[in-house]
Amino acid sequence: VVRANLDGSGAELFQSTTTGSGTYAGIAVDAVNRYVYWSNEGQSAIFRKAIGAALGAAPETVANTASPPVSVAVDPADGNVYW
């Protein structure tokens, strides 16, 4: 996962794909609580990491899913994550 300015400049690595296995399939931003969420098909899980976190910071496992999650959506107003 890479983050950059809206014009594409200043791109930097946010989360390395070498952390765990699998493919990052979906991504969502919770701008209210300042988290980035993503789904990982290979690990059948949803993860999140604080927007301001350093590269070395470990992501938090939000949910282990029964089947590989393809996408993820966040509803910060109701405090829910969907996949």
Side-chain angles (χ1 to χ4, degrees):
V1 177
V2 176
R3 64 179 163 204
N5 296 321
L6 291 176
D7 66 0
S9 66
E12 63 183 2
L13 190 62
F14 177 71
Q15 178 63 42
S16 172
T17 56
T18 60
T19 304
S21 61
T23 302
Y24 295 172
I27 191 166
V29 176
D30 175 356
V32 173
N33 297 300
R34 303 198 41 84
Y35 281 100
V36 175
Y37 289 75
W38 64 89
S39 58
N40 185 309
E41 290 180 295
Q43 292 180 305
S44 292
I46 304 293
F47 296 94
R48 78 176 184 178
K49 188 172 173 179
I51 288 174
L55 172 61
E60 175 184 353
T61 302
V62 174
N64 291 303
T65 61
S67 60
V70 176
S71 62
V72 62
V74 178
D75 180 358
D78 288 330
N80 293 311
V81 59
Y82 300 90
W83 64 89

